[in-house]
Structure formats: structure tokens, C-alpha cells
Amino acid sequence: MPDRERWFRAPGRVNLIGDHTDYNEGFVLPVAIDLSCVVRATPNADGVVRLRSESVDGEVALAADGGTDPADVDEVWGRYAAGVVGTLSERGRPAAGMDAVISSTIPLGAGLSSSAALEVALALALCDVADYELPQLELALACQEAEQVATGVPCGIMDQLASLAGLHNHALLIDCRSLEVQAIRLPPRLAVLILHSGMSRALVDSEYGERREACEAMAALLGVPALRDATPQQVADEPRARHVVSENARVLQAAEALAEGNVAALGPLLNESHRSLRDDFDVSTPELDALAAALVDAGAVGARLTGAGFGGCVVGLASRDEADRIVETAAGHYWAETGHQPRAFVFRAVDGAGRIPPQAPS
Ligand code: ADP
Ligand code: MG
């Protein structure tokens, strides 16, 4: 192992409840999961950030002073990295170079936030080799901005903040207005189940922007700063806004139920969230509907699509003893119904990103 190599790990995340609420300054309830991106970095004196990924082909060389425009980087994954170098430079990071190798156990593009984990692990490495420190929230904002620059999608802060602020055995209630994070202990026997529908998130970029604009237009019409401030009465006849307002209420109720260890109360909240995303916000697909139903039929406490929708994953909750059986049964039913083979995961909640000791090769 090279002498001065140092390792940084950033987890992916699953959002238990609260979708399309973050950019409406509302609430989300993610957990950092036990899959992560690891960056192995060695400082160099070249003024260049040289990156290689074990997940994707190609090498990327970026000016360490943030001078490389993400749009000029050929490799799509390198744009995220260029975004991070750029947003950290804007926040005062000295132009220190590094050579780094990226590896990740998070499946790419599956809705488990491999992109935020990449940004966060890279940001930690970049700050470390430059002997530079930023508060956690500032790092999260830099990574969020990097993702926006790299993709052109006006994404919220949830993924990056969850990856940084994760806590072992806890979910994170994030207030997307104040950016305050409250860790809420998960009942010890509760497992977080994820089934990926096997359908990639088609349409998501354009539809995401369209939904976001509709929400902002509705807030302006109602004369409130964001839909977070609208009342249920104000949005009773507006399905899109109704989803946002009712979803915020469900997130807060779910956080309370978790804090009380009241697992039974979580089921209806998750199921209703799915219904609202499907009928009011119109971001579900027949596959996601079938998968959520299959999980509930197999005995999950509740289940819902998680993430932006239009494909991707469904999250469910179940007791840890039953988790494997439920996932297997649901996957079988879904396969029989749709012909798609879902990928299944059972997660634990882990600590957020940080430096780790170099590991022996596994
Ligand atoms: P998700 O964040 O849900 O996994 P995204 O589409 O937001 O899906 O991000 C996936 C993209 O992030 C990948 O296509 C790739 O460009 C980049 N990425 C994530 N992890 C890695 C990695 N380990 N190596 C290289 N690129 C990565
Ligand atoms: Mg992502």
C-alpha cells in the first residue's frame, strides 16, 4: 500500500418516507445504509486530481484548483468529481492534487444514491489532502451543488446530508428548510427492505424538473414561500400540492412513531405515501405498484416507492426475523406478475461518512 494513502468511506441511503418534499422545504426521513463508496487517496504535488474508478471505465484528470468545467469532462462520472473539486474550491479549498481510486458496493443508478456517496467520499478526500476542513453542512451543500452542476438536475440536499450525517441504528429526520438533522433511533428488530424494480428511472430528469416547477408555481399562487407552508385546506383540490402537504405530515408522524417504537403505526403511513405518490403526484409505474403490493402481501409492515419515482426502488419495513422470507416471497410474486427479476437488499442503518483505516483486500 502506498505510504501516504488514506481511505474515506461514504454510505448510500434509503429514504423511509418523504419524497418530493425536500425541494418544497419540507421533511424527509432517510437512513444511511451499509453499502458505501470508498476513495483511496494519495496526495501529489502535481496540481492535478487524477481519478480511476473500479466501477466504471476511464481515467479522469482534473485541475486541482477547480478550473475544470464539468461540462468539458468526457466521462460522465468524472463530471461529478469535477463538480466537487469546483464547489470545494469556491469554498476556499487550497489547490492540492491527489491520485485516487474509487470503489463502491452501492449499485450505480439504482436509487441508493451512489452519486452522493461518490461526491461525499471524494469531498472528504479532497479536503484531507489539502489539510482543509469544512463543517458537515457546508460539505453537504458543496456536494449537492456539485451534483446539480454535473447533471443539470436541481436535486435537493437529502442524499448528501444523509451520507454525511448517518448514525448507526438511526434514521435521520431532516428539515429541508433549516437543514437541521435529528437522529431517531430505529427499533432494534426493524429491518429496512429494498426491492429494485429492475426498471431504470426513465424520464426522471425531465419529469422531476416539471414536478418541481409545478410545486413552485403553486406556492407562488398561494402566496407562501414554499409548499411546506400551505395548509391541507389550501391544496385540497390540487393533487400535486396535496401530495407534498400530506407527505410532510406523514414524515413527521412516522418520525414520532419510530421514536415511540410504534412499528405498527408506520405501515399505514408508508402505504398511504405510496398511494399519494401514485395517484396525486403521478410518479409511480405499474412495476413499482406491483412491487409495493407484493411486499405488503408478503407480510411487510408497509411499503412505498422511494426516490423520485418512474422506476427504481420500493422500500418496505419488516421485523428482522422475517425480512429474508418476505423479500424472497415478494420478489417471486413480482417476477411472476411482471417478468422482471428484482434485486433485493436488507439494510442496517450505519454511521455517516468519514475517514476509515485502510482495509485488507477482501
Ligand atoms: P444513484 O445515485 O441512485 O446511484 P445516479 O444516476 O444519481 O444514481 O448516479 C449514478 C452515477 O454516479 C453513475 O452513473 C456514475 O456516473 C456516478 N457514480 C456513482 N458511483 C460511482 C463510482 N463508484 N465510480 C464512478 N462513478 C460513479
Ligand atoms: Mg444519485
Side-chain angles (χ1 to χ4, degrees), residues 53 55-56 76-77 80 102 104 107-115 118 147 201:
S53 168
S55 314
V56 188
V76 172
W77 66 272
Y80 294 86
I102 302 156
S104 189
L108 275 52
L112 301 176
S113 204
S114 70
S115 61
L118 170 67
E147 172 123 5
R201 291 165 300 155

Side-chain angles (χ1 to χ4, degrees), residues 31 40 50 75 86 98 108 117 171 207 214 237 280 290 300 329:
V31 294
R40 307 183 319 252
R50 244 179 250 105
E75 288 80 0
M98 70 178 190
L108 275 52
E207 293 277 349
D237 300 323
D280 287 356
T329 308

